[in-house]
Amino acid sequence: MSIRTGRVRHLSVVPDMPDPDEPSADEADATRRSLVNLVLRVTMDHTRPEIWRRVRVRSDLLLSELHSVLQRAVGWQDQHLHAFSIRTAGITRRFEMAETLRDEPDDEAVSEERVRIDEVLTARGSVMTYEYDFGDGWTHTVVLEQIDSDIDDLRSVCLDGARACPPENCGGPSHYAQDLEIASDPADPEFPVLLTRWGPTFDPDRFDVDSVNKVLHALDTGRSALAEAVATAPAIGRLFDRVRPTEVPSLMALLPRCELTIESSVDLPVAEIAMAKLTWFLARIGDDGVALTDAGYLKPALVSAIREELEWSIGWVGPSNREIDHHQVTDLREAARHLGLTRVSKGRLLRTKLGAALADDPVGMWRHAASRLPLGKETYETDAATLFLISLAASASVAHRNEMLVETVAELGWASEDSGVFDAQFAAQATVSFLDLIGAHGPRFYFRESVSESPSWSRRFARDALLT
């Protein structure tokens, strides 16, 4: 693996209940998964003396990639089927080979090509089982021993180990234990046969870490665009749990253009522009909050201020200053609620602790907003929103985006070919509305212009949203 550190609509307003467990700004930012190195101890079960390896791998390796590392670190030849599993709260979760799931579908199993190591081994002491050669029954216990934040070298490396890997097809742990007994006694009548089967160079006591690392370093030859996207962007990984890559060529063509290996580099001037409406709204609410109408809407004076100070009045028709007549105001208020920045209590709209902390922090607001996208609780909502974020991150043309939406929505099985774009936009409404709100799509949706260019920062924001 290479080393890389890269509509007009009316909504009813329902009063919000205060949340006693609001996350702080620091806690919200801490939910972002960072790239680190993980030190794993891999023990071959039921072997005496014990056969083990200690390896260091990058935390965003997919389980399918970890399989390749384990094969070479332990010394197997990758001739048989394999699987990973973990046991949590009395329930076993299995992560199978893609070929296995294709030939024998299992609703309880997940493809190993869609899961990162740090989604399974989440803290020191976390344990996972790796099975290889189901016939012979070799199992390995994988324990997360250490989390190393030094990522100057992200290549997989074997740090230590003991004893040679048993020969392929030797019959499993019990048969191999019998072979070791024979090997310890040259007078045993089976000794010559064993040497013939093992070959002249096999030494069960020998382990050469330098030889293992030569093989491991030759393995690190890079990732496919899909593997990179799945490993770095959780939302894309979840999408491809239900989408076959061969059936969505337009989507596959966009993945490399998202440049998901580029780390976030938002700066203050850009964040101030992108988050201007949200920070203005929070500042206007202030420490004391603002009173709502008896029906729970923003009062006309605040609606008028939003029209004038946020320069939205040119997109509105008529003199109304009621929230219910202007979806832009509702979008702004809903965005603040979705992001956990505001709450309603006793007829007033108030800032949450998080909202107060981010009111004067555009960069923090950018990172928090990106971390909450895609919006929506249902799978179809987040799937559709992920497609729009991919389009934005890749600077896809409208034609390419629409072709991709039709193609992918059809593969997901919840829209017809003719209605694919409409259905995708309807499903992704919450996320698309937020992107419109901050100006990531340009002025087209609000100002009804026929042509709209997305600002240059919109790619960066969409990429950050996919990566968190």
Side-chain angles (χ1 to χ4, degrees):
M1 180 175 302
S2 55
I3 306 172
R4 289 182 284 184
T5 48
R7 231 179 17 158
V8 177
R9 51 197 165 81
H10 302 297
L11 303 179
S12 61
V13 178
V14 179
D16 298 319
M17 298 299 293
D19 183 359
D21 298 317
E22 298 164 3
S24 67
D26 290 341
E27 288 172 335
D29 193 54
T31 62
R32 299 166 62 90
R33 287 191 298 177
S34 58
L35 179 63
V36 293
N37 274 314
L38 305 179
V39 177
L40 311 177
R41 181 183 169 97
V42 184
T43 305
M44 193 176 296
D45 299 337
H46 313 300
T47 57
R48 294 290 182 273
E50 196 171 70
I51 301 171
W52 62 274
R53 305 286 184 265
R54 180 173 288 110
V55 297
R56 188 185 69 216
V57 296
R58 53 191 289 169
S59 58
D60 67 346
L61 277 189
L62 301 172
L63 292 184
S64 55
E65 297 172 314
L66 177 61
H67 156 71
S68 297
V69 172
L70 296 181
Q71 284 286 306
R72 287 154 180 81
V74 175
W76 295 117
Q77 301 300 312
D78 205 1
Q79 298 178 1
H80 302 281
L81 301 177
H82 67 271
F84 293 90
S85 63
I86 60 170
R87 188 162 181 81
T88 306
I91 299 174
T92 299
R93 296 176 59 205
R94 287 183 64 82
F95 309 96
E96 302 272 7
M97 300 169 60
E99 299 92 318
T100 303
L101 293 177
R102 184 169 57 246
D103 296 338
E104 301 177 17
D106 183 351
D107 293 339
E108 301 299 323
V110 178
S111 171
E112 64 175 3
E113 295 180 357
R114 304 287 179 259
V115 181
R116 289 170 41 151
I117 303 175
D118 57 7
E119 294 178 87
V120 180
L121 301 178
T122 57
R124 286 186 182 180
S126 295
V127 178
M128 175 172 58
T129 298
Y130 171 64
E131 303 172 64
Y132 173 65
D133 187 353
F134 301 153
D136 279 3
W138 293 105
T139 62
H140 309 70
T141 297
V142 181
V143 180
L144 174 55
E145 286 193 330
Q146 182 181 344
I147 299 173
D148 186 355
S149 59
D150 183 359
I151 57 172
D152 287 342
D153 189 345
L154 288 170
R155 293 176 299 177
S156 301
V157 61
C158 184
L159 303 174
D160 200 359
R163 300 183 61 80
C165 179
E168 293 277 348
N169 305 310
C170 66
S174 60
H175 284 84
Y176 185 59
Q178 295 173 8
D179 287 346
L180 291 178
E181 289 184 12
I182 295 171
S184 66
D185 182 7
D188 191 298
E190 294 293 324
F191 186 81
V193 178
L194 176 65
L195 292 185
T196 300
R197 191 166 70 246
W198 277 2
T201 61
F202 180 74
D203 178 358
D205 295 323
R206 185 174 183 271
F207 171 72
D208 184 352
V209 68
D210 292 333
S211 297
V212 171
N213 282 323
K214 286 181 181 179
V215 176
L216 281 177
H217 291 169
L219 170 69
D220 292 345
T221 56
R223 276 175 166 165
S224 68
L226 176 58
E228 192 71 69
V230 169
T232 55
I236 294 178
R238 290 189 291 271
L239 176 66
F240 275 94
D241 282 338
R242 293 172 297 283
V243 170
R244 294 169 295 178
T246 55
E247 302 302 313
V248 287
S250 297
L251 174 58
M252 294 297 293
L254 292 179
L255 294 183
R257 291 163 49 184
C258 291
E259 299 179 330
L260 295 170
T261 58
I262 298 177
E263 294 182 353
S264 176
S265 58
V266 61
D267 48 34
L268 181 59
V270 168
E272 286 178 334
I273 293 171
M275 299 293 114
K277 290 180 173 62
L278 282 170
T279 53
W280 179 93
F281 189 52
L282 291 175
R284 185 64 183 244
I285 293 173
D287 293 334
D288 297 328
V290 294
L292 300 173
T293 67
D294 292 342
Y297 293 99
L298 297 179
K299 288 193 170 182
L302 180 52
V303 174
S304 295
I306 292 173
R307 290 182 60 162
E308 299 304 320
E309 297 188 38
L310 297 186
E311 300 181 350
W312 268 337
S313 58
I314 62 174
W316 291 348
V317 177
S320 174
N321 56 8
R322 297 190 308 161
E323 178 185 342
I324 195 171
D325 292 330
H326 302 298
H327 69 82
Q328 296 95 331
V329 176
T330 299
D331 286 347
L332 179 59
R333 178 175 171 176
E334 286 295 289
R337 182 180 68 84
H338 278 307
L339 297 179
L341 305 174
T342 60
R343 61 185 178 90
V344 171
S345 177
K346 299 179 180 179
R348 299 185 69 81
L349 182 65
L350 304 171
R351 298 188 304 197
T352 63
K353 292 179 182 178
L354 179 62
L358 295 178
D360 298 319
D361 182 7
V363 172
M365 180 75 79
W366 169 295
R367 290 174 176 163
H368 174 66
S371 74
R372 296 294 292 267
L373 267 61
L375 298 173
K377 296 181 179 179
E378 301 296 333
T379 300
Y380 70 86
E381 293 177 296
T382 55
D383 280 347
T386 298
L387 297 178
F388 276 92
L389 290 170
I390 291 171
S391 299
L392 194 59
S395 291
S397 66
V398 173
H400 191 159
R401 183 200 67 189
N402 289 347
E403 178 185 0
M404 180 272 293
L405 290 174
V406 170
E407 195 175 76
T408 309
V409 163
E411 170 65 7
L412 286 166
W414 46 265
S416 66
E417 182 175 346
D418 293 336
S419 64
V421 175
F422 173 81
D423 286 348
Q425 185 159 337
F426 179 81
Q429 184 178 17
T431 297
V432 171
S433 294
F434 180 79
L435 294 173
D436 293 347
L437 170 74
I438 65 174
H441 282 149
R444 177 180 54 162
F445 288 96
Y446 282 146
F447 298 161
R448 295 179 174 82
E449 296 182 5
S450 59
V451 178
S452 174
E453 292 292 334
S454 297
S456 59
W457 55 260
S458 64
R459 286 194 69 193
R460 207 183 310 181
F461 182 80
R463 183 191 305 128
D464 284 358
L466 289 168
L467 292 175
T468 55

